[in-house]
Every structure is written in C-alpha cells, then in structure tokens.
Amino acid sequence: MLAIGSQHPLDVDGVSRRDFLRFGGLGVLGLSAAEQRAKAEASGKGLRRCIFVLLNGGPSPLETFDPKPSARGDIRGPYRAISTATPGLFLSELLPSLAERSGKFTLLRSLTHDAAPIHETGLQLIQTGRLVRGDLIPPSLGSIVARLLGPRNDWPAYVVLPRPLCDNGSAIWQGQWAGSLGEAFDPWSLESQPTVPATGDRGVGSISAPTSVAKHAALVEKWLHAPDPDRRSYGDTDLGRSCLAARKLVEQGVRFVTVNMFDTLAERITWDCHANGGWAPATLSDYRNTLCPDLDRAISALLDDLDERGLLEETLVVVTG
C-alpha cells in the first residue's frame, strides 16, 4: 500500500516511495492536467461518468438497505425485510423495486466515521474523503473530476441538481464545492448560471464552465420542470426530475452530476428523523408514505434508463447518505 503524502518513506516491494514518485514522473503522476485528460480520453476511460445521488439528512439503515431480519423486533422496527434478486440479500419492504434490481448494484453497509456527529462532517467525508484541516478545504469529487478531465462537448464537467446544498443547521463547509482547488472548478448549477442575453453571448458564462454553456440553462430547466412522458417512471418529485435530468446530462457529456435529494433540511420532511426546534422531523410513516417510495421509484427508473441506453456499464451511480 502506497501512502501518497506520508511524512515517512514507504517501501513497496523494495522500491522506495521517493523512487516510485521519481519514476512516476514518467507516467501519469508526472502529467499535467491537460496531458492526463488527453491520456484518459484516448484510453476510453475519459468517457466514463458518475451520477452521485446524495441522500441528505441521513437515512435510517433499518428502514432502507439494512433491515437486519435476524435482529430482535424492537431493533428492526415495524417494516419487514424482503428478499431480493440476489440470494441472501435483504432490503426493507419499502424498497420493492430496488429489491428486484439488486443485480444492478453493489450494496455497502460498512460506511461510518468517528468525526463530530453533525451533518456537515458526514457531508465532507462522503463528498471529499477528508475533513477541513486549517486552511486546507478539501474539494468535492466532482471538482476533482473537473480539474483532471475538464468539460466535454461544450458542457461543464461537474453539475449539481436541482440546487446546491444550503441550510443543514450549521454554517460549516459541506464538501460540495471546489474548496482549495479554486472557484474555476465549482459545480455548475442553474442558480449560479447567468441569464443569456437576447443577442450574442459575449461575456456570458460562469468561471466554472465555458461561456457557451450558459445557453444550456434553459434546456436543463426544461428537463427539470417541463412536462415529459419519460418522467412517469421517475416520479414527479424533485428527486425524480433531477435523476431524469442527470441521465440526460451524462448523455450530453457531463462527467459528474450530483443530485441532492434535499438541498436543505429546514422546514420540510427529509431523512433527518431526529430534527428538533422549528424543523420537521421525519417519522416512520414518512418513510413508508413518501421518502422510501420516492427513492425506490427514482433510482430504479434511473438504473433501467441507463441500462436500456447502454450507459450503465460506463456510468457509476452512487446513492449514499
């Protein structure tokens, strides 16, 4: 195992870390961002894409993907575990469509952290892999992709739908932006996109995307809000509309799309079932009636849609809280 950034040398099969990095200069470690991008595109790896569905608020494992059928009833909760298309794998009965499609995804039940028990630390870790340390603000995965691979087909590399994260209870870094990489690699969103003037596009565009990308704002708005027969399978919710738009965006060339199921935890029913004060806590009835059905429908439709279009093999779909 090579620990890049370690303060101490590390031998890997007799090769020192210093020698590895020196010889690595002849390979990808020594390439500029433009050279790395060209190398990835030439190999075909640059054609890969990611849709990152963030379940802001922290969904309960017991009522979703880890129902623990052998646990005591007072631990399991009121909803039963159901079999899936994968022998030995059980999901909550609230996710029947995903249970039928278990062969299309891998389930990780081991995610945990020991940082401060607040939403923002979890958001930092799940979106950047690190916590803020002093002046170092870790960039999101999407921003790293934007830095290494850049835009494609006149579309930005990194997009957030339907809106970037905002109020989660604390004014702390949430890990969805470029951080120390700089604003040039912040995500593109409708909220940050300037309006296109009636004539020409001179001077239009955000620092995070090519100037002409501003013209696509109306198209993204249409995908999110205009009537669309394709939306029936996804569901007429923010999550359903955003997942459909994400599929269309990766088809156009966007490399990394983050879908926020909830951009804020304030004044709405979310996965945040322990909310207090003026915020509305989710109940087990909300899991049954709204949260799980919306998730089950939208993600199942997204997996089917990508599969039918031949995109699933080259599209990493991450659904996580």
Side-chain angles (χ1 to χ4, degrees), residues 128-300:
T128 76
R130 294 175 289 170
L131 295 172
V132 172
R133 296 289 186 226
D135 294 333
L136 179 61
I137 303 176
S140 67
L141 297 173
S143 294
I144 294 172
V145 169
R147 167 67 176 81
L148 292 177
L149 296 178
R152 182 171 58 199
N153 296 344
D154 219 17
W155 285 85
Y158 175 30
V159 173
V160 169
L161 297 172
R163 294 166 296 276
L165 291 176
C166 50
D167 187 7
N168 273 321
S170 302
I172 298 175
W173 178 253
Q174 298 170 328
Q176 197 152 83
W177 301 81
S180 296
L181 275 184
E183 291 181 348
F185 306 105
D186 276 342
W188 184 96
S189 69
L190 285 173
E191 292 190 353
S192 65
Q193 191 61 34
T195 302
V196 183
T199 57
D201 61 1
R202 192 175 185 82
V204 176
S206 70
I207 193 171
S208 60
T211 296
S212 57
V213 170
K215 296 179 179 179
H216 299 312
L219 188 56
V220 175
E221 189 77 42
K222 176 182 177 182
W223 292 339
L224 286 171
H225 300 294
D228 190 332
D230 293 341
R231 187 175 300 134
R232 296 192 193 104
S233 60
Y234 285 84
D236 193 20
T237 63
D238 268 355
L239 177 63
R241 289 187 288 269
S242 296
C243 284
L244 173 59
R247 189 270 289 168
K248 292 176 179 286
L249 282 168
V250 297
E251 278 190 307
Q252 296 297 322
V254 176
R255 301 180 188 276
F256 198 104
V257 182
T258 292
V259 173
N260 292 321
M261 186 168 181
F262 303 107
D263 60 306
T264 178
L265 303 180
E267 299 179 351
R268 68 181 67 180
I269 298 298
T270 71
W271 298 108
D272 189 26
C273 59
H274 65 87
N276 50 41
W279 291 23
T283 66
L284 289 176
S285 294
D286 293 320
Y287 270 68
R288 179 191 64 219
N289 298 331
T290 304
L291 296 167
C292 287
D294 290 351
L295 176 67
D296 191 45
R297 183 174 183 178
I299 302 304
S300 295

Side-chain angles (χ1 to χ4, degrees), residues 297-308:
R297 183 174 183 178
I299 302 304
S300 295
L302 177 61
L303 294 176
D304 289 349
D305 211 356
L306 290 169
D307 197 13
E308 290 169 4

Side-chain angles (χ1 to χ4, degrees), residues 85-153:
T86 304
L89 178 66
F90 295 87
L91 298 185
S92 165
E93 65 176 317
L94 304 181
L95 303 173
S97 296
L98 284 171
E100 294 176 357
R101 292 161 176 78
S102 63
K104 292 184 178 180
F105 59 84
T106 297
L107 187 59
L108 303 179
R109 290 171 169 165
S110 56
L111 295 180
T112 185
H113 71 83
D114 57 4
I118 57 176
H119 292 294
E120 287 73 17
T121 53
L123 288 169
Q124 288 179 36
L125 289 168
I126 205 67
Q127 295 185 100
T128 76
R130 294 175 289 170
L131 295 172
V132 172
R133 296 289 186 226
D135 294 333
L136 179 61
I137 303 176
S140 67
L141 297 173
S143 294
I144 294 172
V145 169
R147 167 67 176 81
L148 292 177
L149 296 178
R152 182 171 58 199
N153 296 344

